[in-house]
Amino acid sequence: AEKNGIDLIHFGDLIDVDIIGSVEYDRRATVSPEGFLQGLDFIEEPVFALCRAEEEIAEDIARGYSKLLRDPKVNVRILDRSNRPTAVVYGAVKSEQRFQIKRPIRLNELIVFAGGLTEKASGTIQIFRPANLSCAAK
């Protein structure tokens, strides 16, 4: 999902935290199941990252590092989006599919992408959706 054209951080993203001028504090981080960055050893307060922009998180990290460094400058960027959660459409569709959702999408679109329903379709659809996987509702 995006906010004002800015890609937001999702579960599964690999995040690069670059403290300008310091290799010692640079980190690669991931998002915990609770939505916080994992791997920031030098910050006391956890940094909430889920569904937030890179710049917002960089400000929080800079505040956390300001206890160790004078006026830290922080760059945060998403390195890898490939582990984001997927949607799986299976059952009475012509071509069972796995989709990585990168925008708000409707179920009928997914069914069309899966080739449509087969003649075996009963008219019943079951949806299994873990909570908090999408930033679209935020």
Side-chain angles (χ1 to χ4, degrees):
E2 292 186 359
K3 180 165 73 175
N4 301 327
I6 298 169
D7 195 18
L8 303 178
I9 292 177
H10 291 70
F11 288 116
D13 287 352
L14 178 63
I15 311 301
D16 180 58
V17 177
D18 179 25
I19 312 302
I20 306 298
S22 171
V23 176
E24 176 183 355
Y25 295 106
D26 292 350
R27 292 288 182 266
R28 297 277 167 93
T30 56
V31 181
S32 74
E34 296 79 28
F36 293 93
L37 283 184
Q38 301 180 119
L40 300 179
D41 308 334
F42 299 101
I43 296 181
E44 293 175 16
E45 292 292 318
V47 175
F48 190 77
L50 186 62
C51 298
R52 296 182 68 207
E54 296 162 334
E55 293 79 18
E56 295 173 319
I57 295 164
E59 291 172 14
D60 287 355
I61 293 171
R63 269 192 297 280
Y65 275 107
S66 66
K67 295 176 182 175
L68 297 169
L69 304 170
R70 183 179 306 149
D71 193 27
K73 303 288 185 242
V74 179
N75 282 334
V76 171
R77 66 188 176 101
I78 302 169
L79 283 181
D80 185 6
R81 297 171 176 87
S82 65
N83 288 321
R84 289 186 177 179
T86 58
V88 180
V89 178
Y90 62 92
V93 290
K94 293 185 177 160
S95 174
E96 294 182 354
Q97 298 279 331
R98 178 179 302 269
F99 302 97
Q100 188 174 51
I101 307 299
K102 295 184 178 180
R103 64 175 176 83
I105 192 165
R106 299 197 178 277
L107 178 60
N108 61 350
E109 287 180 84
L110 294 175
I111 291 171
V112 168
F113 291 142
L117 301 174
T118 68
E119 53 283 343
K120 295 180 182 179
S122 68
T124 301
I125 296 176
Q126 291 183 338
I127 300 173
F128 301 98
R129 184 176 191 272
N132 300 322
L133 285 184
S134 172
C135 293
K138 303 242 182 233

